[in-house]
Amino acid sequence: GENVEQHPSTLSVQEGDSAVIKCTYSDSASNYFPWYKQELGKRPQLIIDIRSNVGEKKDQRIAVTLNKTAKHFSLHITETQPEDSAVYFCAARNTGNQFYFGTGTSLTVIP
Amino acid sequence: DSGVTQTPKHLITATGQRVTLRCSPRSGDLSVYWYQQSLDQGLQFLIQYYNGEERAKGNILERFSAQQFPDLHSELNLSSLELGDSALYFCASSVTPGQNYEQYFGPGTRLTVT
């Protein structure tokens, strides 16, 4: 089955700096890679996603890159703000429409 | 609002009891997933249903069972509850044929076993 690894587990940045979270996956047939943001006690919210036929996608301060050859994808947050503080999860979806999640990154943005 | 609903929001029960968690997927979504999230833990995949049929099983205990009904809502049954079953239980839905395949999460049910 698919195995998704996520790094780092915790990340602290100064407000205004950039944050990068990286994930690797094992199943080369995985074709869809979403990122979720989860605030304490709340549901994971889809913030950005990328399909396997695209190398990069950007939405305002958030971007995701995908390297299919290396089987890794990354979340980039620029100009971080305190409200970006949360736990971020990456995931990979296989052809059976099953989702495999990384273990999460706790991001703290220091004002 | 993701369009996925879950009831109840909170549930407090005693060890040894049985509870049922309910989930209604987004309109048109055929697939329902159940996840367990213990304190400060990641999302543990429990089980997936697609159009009424079980599609995949994750780390689901034998004391737990689920089903998806013809109207596509799903129920997760937890029996012989133990203290360690206390967690947030999320339902997510996906797969609206002809549209995108994103997965959206419901607000979760917080289960406390005392």
Side-chain angles (χ1 to χ4, degrees):
Chain A
E2 175 67 279
N3 180 44
V4 177
E5 295 189 357
Q6 182 172 348
H7 300 280
S9 57
T10 59
L11 179 61
S12 290
V13 299
Q14 292 288 335
E15 183 177 357
D17 287 349
S18 296
V20 180
I21 303 171
K22 299 181 179 182
C23 288
T24 61
Y25 61 99
S26 60
D27 185 353
S28 56
S30 289
N31 55 18
Y32 172 69
F33 307 91
W35 285 89
Y36 291 86
K37 175 183 180 182
Q38 187 180 27
E39 297 175 354
L40 191 63
K42 298 192 176 180
R43 66 184 173 90
Q45 286 190 292
L46 179 67
I47 56 170
I48 197 167
D49 56 15
I50 193 166
R51 299 180 188 276
S52 58
N53 60 349
V54 176
E56 183 174 358
K57 183 176 178 180
K58 191 173 181 181
D59 182 4
Q60 299 183 346
R61 296 185 298 108
I62 295 174
V64 56
T65 58
L66 171 65
N67 183 327
K68 282 176 58 180
T69 303
K71 288 188 279 188
H72 68 69
F73 55 113
S74 300
L75 177 70
H76 304 255
I77 306 174
T78 58
E79 301 173 21
T80 54
Q81 302 168 2
E83 49 266 38
D84 295 329
S85 296
V87 178
Y88 291 81
F89 291 97
C90 64
R93 186 192 73 193
N94 66 9
T95 51
N97 202 43
Q98 285 129 28
F99 288 78
Y100 295 84
F101 283 81
T103 49
T105 296
S106 178
L107 173 65
T108 301
V109 179
I110 304 165
Chain B
D1 185 2
S2 65
V4 181
T5 60
Q6 288 186 249
T7 56
K9 282 188 177 179
H10 302 279
L11 200 48
I12 302 174
T13 189
T15 54
Q17 296 298 306
R18 172 190 169 95
V19 297
T20 296
L21 313 183
R22 194 178 192 278
C23 168
S24 291
R26 291 189 316 156
S27 177
D29 279 358
L30 301 179
S31 202
V32 168
Y33 308 75
W34 286 98
Y35 296 88
Q36 179 192 56
Q37 188 175 42
S38 302
L39 191 64
D40 294 334
Q41 296 292 312
L43 292 158
Q44 297 296 319
F45 168 65
L46 296 178
I47 198 164
Q48 176 199 5
Y49 280 82
Y50 178 83
N51 204 20
E53 295 189 359
E54 183 184 303
R55 179 61 66 92
K57 262 187 177 179
N59 300 322
I60 187 166
L61 300 172
E62 287 190 9
R63 300 184 286 109
F64 296 1
S65 64
Q67 54 183 327
Q68 186 179 28
F69 294 86
D71 67 352
L72 301 178
H73 91 272
S74 178
E75 292 181 357
L76 178 67
N77 300 295
L78 315 176
S79 61
S80 302
L81 285 168
E82 302 175 358
L83 295 177
D85 298 327
S86 295
L88 260 175
Y89 290 84
F90 287 105
C91 164
S93 75
S94 179
V95 190
T96 297
Q99 297 183 25
N100 295 324
Y101 285 70
E102 294 92 350
Q103 179 178 166
Y104 290 94
F105 283 79
T109 292
R110 181 173 295 282
L111 172 66
T112 302
V113 182
T114 62

